[in-house]
Every structure is written in structure tokens, then in C-alpha cells.
Amino acid sequence: MSSENTKKKEGIVPEPSLRRMPCYLAYLKLAKRRNQEYVSSTHIARDMGVDPTQVTKDLSYTSIVGKTRVGYEVNTLIDVLEDFLGFRKLDKAYLFGAGSLGNALLHDHGLDQYGLKIVAAFDIDPKVVGRTIEGVPILHVSEFEKMKDKNVEVGILTVPAEFAQDVAQQMAKGGIKGIWNFTPIRIRLGEDCVVQDTSLYAHLAVMFNRMSSIKK
Amino acid sequence: MSSENTKKKEGIVPEPSLRRMPCYLAYLKLAKRRNQEYVSSTHIARDMGVDPTQVTKDLSYTSIVGKTRVGYEVNTLIDVLEDFLGFRKLDKAYLFGAGSLGNALLHDHGLDQYGLKIVAAFDIDPKVVGRTIEGVPILHVSEFEKMKDKNVEVGILTVPAEFAQDVAQQMAKGGIKGIWNFTPIRIRLGEDCVVQDTSLYAHLAVMFNRMSSIKK
DNA sequence: TTTTATTAATGATTATTTTCTTTAATCGAA
DNA sequence: TTCGATTAAAGAAAATAATCATTAATAAAA
């Protein structure tokens, strides 16, 4: 019965830990540049201004094991983290909504480095459909259903708020397994499709609030 | 002494709550379109798939008060939220790093709606310095120090990782009070400057992880 | 008028996340 | 070899956030 209890939690990594991992990765890549062979959680923590035990706990979710009194091997840790985070294998993605924000994402080539390649974009606006942005063709949404490319599991949602839920449902129906949701709308879908919210404006709101706090 | 204890916490709004508020705002704007005059936390919660008490708790951080058995007035709540989140007054911002991601943000006009206007961008690459993207002039970083426009308190950080900490320090020195950090680097600064991390890749990592979970 | 159902608001409980503490390992210096 | 310093790892405690339960208010129906 103990195993029954832990089954649900087994293997699930806390979101805060997952969000910190790319920071460790960035730190490690800089350490590699400086030709550091080993780096300890103590140093990572000091340099990044976080708690040392948090670093070891976060890293313990991966397969890495550190050496007592030495730390972690930089190269190995980079490999393990990139692999763990899914940045190594390239995922193809469709982008839905080639408006202002969608356009913006099409201009960001950084995504490629992290394992995401936008292969097509969809919109309904005749002014953009048929065009190509940064090498990515913009098709009419109706084309999506015809494609059924089983290799494309990620969908980026950048449509106006009022269409978000509808389009998301189409995406899920069309075989999309992960929706990267840039709208401020909370998407409601079944269990077989993951929704990751990334509302830029939510972050802006937090920043504005914290800024007004320090003024007092 | 009780007031001594509560002083620190007084007025500080939990980040999870702040992040949810723009979602409520988006929901309310859609409700307004449907000509709904009042909306209850119960309905918001049901439609958005969250806990009803969480909605009332979140909203209680603002000045709004709901009517028992009726709910909240949609128009008032929109006004209060936009005001509370700082989306009403326009903040000017400088963008540091007009590379791929910086470029992308310059293409997103949605930011204007949420109270942020990029008035200038800075870079060191001679290929981009001097040009104009979407009406925003790109200047050499050395120009930043000369500007000292006290009305610009927000800085957007989209430089390569290795320059992030350095540029952030320059920003703070130049009077920037809030840094919207799009790099995966954890910035270390004094108390008088707020750093808001928004690493797209961190969100990507979470999505990849959750996607691999549902496959099992 | 009285009753019933619905709601905001508040306090209590539970779950999650972070921080603190301890332990065991081991490298390098004495 | 021996000792001290530094470390990863694991467990305990504290802080934080989410959920649950209760209360009081009130609009609408009986």
C-alpha cells in the first residue's frame, strides 16, 4: 500500500525544479568555457544565489551522481541535463496564429537550440496565408486537418484570446500532444494533451508589482 | 510586535496569485463581450477549471468587493485588475540585445496593450546598430549611459548568456528599476532593482517533461 | 413574509516546496 | 597514516500555497 501511495508521485519532477534546470545548464555551459572540469553544488549555489541543497535536490532528479568533495563533472552534467530536459532530440512544431506574437516567435531562432523546430504556421487571415516568414510557410488552418503528420506533436498557440480554446481543441484532435500556450486563456482539454502556459503578460504583471513594492 | 511580524508580509501578493490575475482579466474581457454584467467566482472557477476559493482569495488582494449571491461587476473588476496589474499606465522600456529573441519581442505589439512600450534598443553588433526595427531605433550600448532618461525604468534583457550579468549591472547603474530577464542566467543585483525571469526554454523544459510523462 | 439556494469571505486543513540539519564519504595536507 | 575540511545525499523542519469547511449575507422563489 505504500507503493500504491507513491505510485502517483513516482517519477514526477516538481515544476520549480524543472524550471531551474535550464539555469543550471546555462551556468554549466559558461563554466565549461572557463575550462572547469568539475563544479560543486556549493559553487553553483553561491554563484547563482540559491540554496546549495536545492541544487543537489534538483540535480538528483536526473541520473547524475556527484563525487564527494569534488562535485559534478561539467561535461557529463551538461549532457545529462540536456538529455533530461529534452533539448537534445529535435521536436517539430506547428504554430497556430501568425499574428504579432506568433510572428515574433518565428523570428526567434533560439528555439532550435533547445530542440524545437517550427515547420509550419497556420492562420486564417488572407493577408498572411500563403506567405513565408523566416522560411516557415503560413497555411490556412483548414490545411492542418489534412496534414496529420504524426511526427509533429508540439503546437504553439498564439491566436487571439477568443479563439484559444477552440483552436486548442482542434490541435488536440489533430494529434498534438503538447500545447505551448502563449494566450492568457486557461485551456481545458483531456488527459492526453499537455498544456504549458507561458503568458508573457503574467510575468509582466509580477514585475510591475514587485517594482511598485520596492518604491515604498 | 504582532505588527512588527506582519510588516514584512503586508501588501506583498503571492506570485502564483499575480500570475493568475491576467488570466482572470482575459476571461472577464470575454465575459464583457458576451454582455455579462456580473460574474461570480463560482462561474469563473468552473469555466477556467480552478478552485472557486482560489479565485476569491486572488481577487481579495485587489480592492474589489463582490456582492453576495451576485458576484463581481465585470466592468469594475476589469478596471480594478488592469489598474492593479499596472496595465493601465504606460511604462517606457529599453531593450538590450537586438538579436534573435530581442528582434522577436520588437515584433510583438501586444506589449503596448499591457502597458509596456519599447522606445529604444541597444546592441553592439555593427550590423544592427543604426537600423530601425518596427519603428524602434537600435543604438550602440555606449549610448545608453548618455541617455539617462529617468522616465525609462524597465529594461528587457535579451543578450547572449555570457553578457547577461554585465549588461544587467549596467542597466541597474543607469537607473533601470525592473529587468525583464529573458536569459537563462540568474542575475545578481542589489535591492533597488527587480529582476523578473522569463526563460522561454524553462517553460519548454516543463512541457517536454510533462509530455514524456503522459506517454507512459 | 418565510424559505431556499447561491454567493463572498474567512479560517482551518492539507499538500507542496524550500530551507535547515545530519551523516557518510573522501581529498589533500600534516 | 591521521586529521581536518569539503562535499553529496538524505532526512527533518519550516515556510508557502492550495484546498476544504464554515459563516453570514442576500436575491429570488414559495
Side-chain angles (χ1 to χ4, degrees):
Chain A
M1 74 203 262
S2 158
S3 82
E4 193 74 17
N5 255 337
T6 54
K7 198 184 283 175
K8 285 174 204 158
K9 314 233 113 193
E10 209 163 273
I12 108 132
V13 184
E15 185 162 331
S17 297
L18 282 171
R19 277 212 299 258
R20 280 188 295 265
M21 285 184 192
C23 301
Y24 301 138
L25 186 58
Y27 174 89
L28 289 161
K29 284 180 174 175
L30 293 184
K32 185 178 179 170
R33 280 200 178 198
R34 294 191 302 266
N35 295 314
Q36 285 184 251
E37 204 178 339
Y38 285 91
V39 67
S40 73
S41 61
T42 321
H43 283 100
I44 298 176
R46 185 168 41 73
D47 292 346
M48 293 180 60
V50 298
D51 191 272
T53 56
Q54 190 168 66
V55 177
T56 52
K57 271 227 173 89
D58 287 343
L59 296 182
S60 74
Y61 291 111
T62 73
S63 57
I64 196 87
V65 281
K67 269 192 196 166
T68 298
R69 238 209 96 123
V70 175
Y72 304 91
E73 205 184 348
V74 174
N75 282 325
T76 314
L77 191 43
I78 289 174
D79 289 351
V80 166
L81 270 176
E82 283 194 330
D83 216 51
F84 184 85
L85 296 174
F87 291 166
R88 279 281 167 85
K89 76 169 174 61
L90 200 72
D91 283 83
K92 291 188 200 167
Y94 288 145
L95 184 134
F96 293 78
S100 177
L101 181 57
N103 224 290
L105 290 177
L106 288 170
H107 281 84
D108 177 23
H109 302 295
L111 292 177
D112 300 25
Q113 283 186 305
Y114 291 88
L116 201 69
K117 184 164 185 61
I118 303 174
V119 293
F122 298 98
D123 208 301
I124 48 164
D125 185 352
K127 280 200 286 290
V128 294
V129 169
R131 285 181 52 202
T132 294
I133 297 178
E134 299 281 315
V136 178
I138 304 177
L139 314 171
H140 193 272
V141 195
S142 56
E143 300 287 312
F144 170 57
E145 289 160 28
K146 300 177 198 161
M147 304 190 68
K148 297 275 178 191
D149 183 345
K150 285 296 166 200
N151 289 322
V152 182
E153 295 193 326
V154 174
I156 303 174
L157 188 60
T158 46
V159 299
E162 59 265 41
F163 307 125
Q165 176 65 38
D166 265 6
V167 173
Q169 274 162 356
Q170 286 183 55
M171 288 162 84
K173 217 165 99 185
I176 297 295
K177 294 294 170 212
I179 295 178
W180 196 1
N181 173 30
F182 282 82
T183 81
I185 299 298
R186 180 138 333 196
I187 305 297
R188 312 207 58 193
L189 290 176
E191 294 290 307
D192 56 340
C193 188
V194 168
V195 179
Q196 175 63 38
D197 295 322
T198 302
S199 172
L200 296 185
Y201 317 120
H203 290 246
L204 201 51
V206 176
M207 185 174 70
F208 285 153
N209 181 272
R210 299 316 187 213
M211 281 174 74
S212 65
S213 296
I214 60 166
K215 280 179 192 164
K216 285 162 199 166
Chain B
M1 71 204 266
S2 158
S3 81
E4 193 74 18
N5 257 337
T6 54
K7 198 183 282 175
K8 285 174 205 157
K9 313 235 113 192
E10 209 163 90
I12 109 135
V13 184
E15 186 163 329
S17 297
L18 282 171
R19 278 213 298 257
R20 280 188 294 265
M21 286 183 192
C23 301
Y24 300 138
L25 186 58
Y27 174 89
L28 289 160
K29 284 180 175 177
L30 292 184
K32 185 178 180 170
R33 280 199 178 199
R34 292 192 301 266
N35 295 314
Q36 285 182 253
E37 203 178 340
Y38 286 91
V39 67
S40 72
S41 61
T42 322
H43 283 103
I44 298 176
R46 185 167 41 73
D47 292 347
M48 293 180 60
V50 298
D51 191 90
T53 55
Q54 190 167 66
V55 177
T56 52
K57 272 224 173 90
D58 287 344
L59 295 182
S60 74
Y61 291 110
T62 73
S63 58
I64 196 87
V65 281
K67 267 193 198 166
T68 298
R69 239 210 97 126
V70 175
Y72 304 91
E73 206 184 346
V74 173
N75 282 324
T76 315
L77 190 43
I78 289 174
D79 289 352
V80 167
L81 270 176
E82 283 194 332
D83 216 52
F84 184 84
L85 295 174
F87 292 166
R88 278 282 167 86
K89 76 169 175 60
L90 199 73
D91 283 83
K92 291 188 199 167
Y94 288 146
L95 183 134
F96 293 78
S100 177
L101 181 58
N103 225 290
L105 290 177
L106 288 170
H107 280 85
D108 177 23
H109 302 295
L111 292 176
D112 301 26
Q113 283 187 304
Y114 291 88
L116 201 69
K117 185 165 186 59
I118 303 175
V119 293
F122 298 98
D123 207 302
I124 49 163
D125 185 351
K127 280 201 286 291
V128 294
V129 169
R131 285 181 52 202
T132 294
I133 296 178
E134 299 281 315
V136 178
I138 304 177
L139 314 171
H140 193 272
V141 195
S142 56
E143 300 287 313
F144 169 58
E145 289 160 27
K146 301 176 197 161
M147 303 191 70
K148 297 276 180 192
D149 183 344
K150 285 296 166 198
N151 289 321
V152 182
E153 295 193 326
V154 174
I156 302 174
L157 188 61
T158 46
V159 300
E162 59 265 41
F163 306 126
Q165 176 66 36
D166 266 6
V167 173
Q169 274 163 355
Q170 285 183 55
M171 288 162 85
K173 218 166 99 185
I176 296 296
K177 294 295 172 213
I179 296 178
W180 196 1
N181 174 31
F182 282 82
T183 80
I185 299 297
R186 182 145 321 205
I187 305 297
R188 312 208 58 194
L189 290 176
E191 293 291 306
D192 55 341
C193 187
V194 169
V195 179
Q196 175 62 40
D197 295 322
T198 302
S199 173
L200 296 185
Y201 317 118
H203 290 248
L204 201 51
V206 177
M207 186 174 68
F208 284 153
N209 181 272
R210 299 314 187 212
M211 282 174 74
S212 64
S213 296
I214 60 165
K215 280 178 193 167
K216 286 162 198 164

